[in-house]
Amino acid sequence: MVSERVVRIVFLGPPGAGKGTQARFVVERYGACQVSTGEILRKAAREHTPLGKKAAGYLDRGTLVPDDVMLKLVAERLHGEDCGLGFILDGFPRTIAQAEGLATILRDMGSTLDCVFFFHVPRSVIIERLAGRRTCKRCGTLYHRIFNPPTRETVCDRCGGELDQREDDREETVAARLDVYETQTAPLIDYYHRQGLLREIDGVGSVEEIKARVFQALQESGR
Ligand code: AP5
């Protein structure tokens, strides 16, 4: 961690845009917490918690978990001690109602958003990325079979855990997730643009190239 500046950022973009990959770099540098709502829901589903049981069907279909459930989850998470140095919201908000709820949560905490990074990536690139994604079951590190392969095909370089393909990365679920993104989440681009919070990041290129763009954009927004 090299900075003590607080960051409060939303990462917005289609499935497979690289939000999770880039969020990890920002967290490493700023000490902020990464609030990945998809990750939280998948963990809850694996552990069969009440939240997980509620979310499982939505995750399988690639549709959105109801807004009230998500807002309660995020409000609790943002009050966590580890969010004291800020947060990267990765995968939230995903609807206008969630964005409005987030504004209320932050207002009640005496806080606001710094900015919203929108990762622009065309559909053909997304499909390629999701088809090759592998995730460590133990520590969550992300790999790609072609673009970011692990040394051994099924083993995590970082912790030795087993690598897995996400259930919702199957072709038919990816199509459903992209449709849900277009109809329910993409309107947030205009919503945040009108508030002067949106920064567009070209999400095509290598992981390192995009990382450089993200840090450049952070610098330009005074972080
Ligand atoms: P979630 O887990 O949030 O999925 P998502 O938004 O669809 O995003 P992804 O995790 O698929 O992609 P990403 O942008 O993080 O890309 P990544 O960095 O992994 O949500 C899953 C489900 O949970 C939803 O469908 C819904 O049911 C539910 N949910 C979650 N949040 C919710 C909410 N707020 N409201 C309601 N429901 C909610 O990269 C992808 C791959 O590409 C990786 O293999 C990576 O290694 C590779 N890669 C990354 N960058 C590059 C690059 N530059 N070049 C080459 N490869 C790259």
Side-chain angles (χ1 to χ4, degrees):
M1 191 176 89
V2 298
S3 171
E4 289 184 357
R5 290 191 186 170
V6 175
V7 290
R8 303 179 202 89
I9 307 175
V10 166
F11 275 10
L12 176 65
K19 304 182 294 293
T21 301
Q22 297 298 330
R24 289 189 162 222
F25 297 132
V26 178
V27 165
E28 268 169 30
R29 179 173 296 191
Y30 289 87
C33 70
Q34 180 179 355
V35 180
S36 165
T37 44
E39 206 36 64
I40 295 170
L41 294 170
R42 278 188 293 280
K43 182 169 184 285
R46 275 197 304 274
E47 293 171 357
H48 303 289
T49 65
L51 170 67
K53 286 179 189 160
K54 227 180 267 181
Y58 297 99
L59 291 169
D60 288 347
R61 291 189 296 273
T63 54
L64 296 184
V65 174
D67 292 334
D68 58 330
V69 176
M70 296 311 301
L71 282 163
K72 186 166 177 283
L73 182 161
V74 169
E76 282 171 13
R77 189 67 191 84
L78 290 180
H79 280 91
E81 257 180 43
D82 60 333
C83 288
L85 283 174
F87 53 80
I88 313 294
L89 285 167
D90 158 22
F92 180 94
R94 266 170 140 100
T95 63
I96 299 283
Q98 290 182 14
E100 288 171 347
L102 173 64
T104 305
I105 294 167
L106 293 176
R107 194 164 52 237
D108 291 348
M109 295 172 74
S111 182
T112 51
L113 280 180
D114 296 331
C115 50
V116 174
F117 284 3
F118 163 53
F119 292 83
H120 184 76
V121 182
R123 198 175 173 112
S124 56
V125 176
I126 288 168
I127 289 170
E128 206 178 16
R129 285 188 187 169
L130 293 181
R133 172 164 54 191
R134 298 293 179 269
T135 311
C136 176
K137 277 172 149 179
R138 194 187 297 165
C139 72
T141 298
L142 291 165
Y143 296 90
H144 190 282
R145 282 184 57 215
I146 298 161
F147 306 127
N148 178 26
T151 311
R152 289 160 62 201
E153 206 184 327
T154 56
V155 182
C156 177
D157 289 343
R158 186 177 279 192
C159 78
E162 187 188 343
L163 302 185
D164 201 16
Q165 179 164 30
R166 259 171 59 175
E167 277 293 316
D168 63 349
D169 281 347
R170 281 175 290 126
E171 208 179 321
E172 60 282 15
T173 319
V174 166
R177 287 164 63 203
L178 287 168
D179 288 347
V180 166
Y181 170 77
E182 286 303 333
T183 53
Q184 301 195 55
T185 307
L188 289 173
I189 300 167
D190 188 46
Y191 174 87
Y192 282 123
H193 178 67
R194 278 187 277 113
Q195 295 182 20
L197 288 171
L198 199 79
R199 308 271 178 280
E200 184 165 328
I201 307 275
D202 175 4
V204 179
S206 70
V207 169
E208 286 302 318
E209 282 166 343
I210 294 156
K211 180 180 172 184
R213 288 173 205 154
V214 167
F215 283 118
Q216 174 76 26
L218 278 166
Q219 216 169 30
E220 284 166 8
S221 46
R223 301 291 126 194

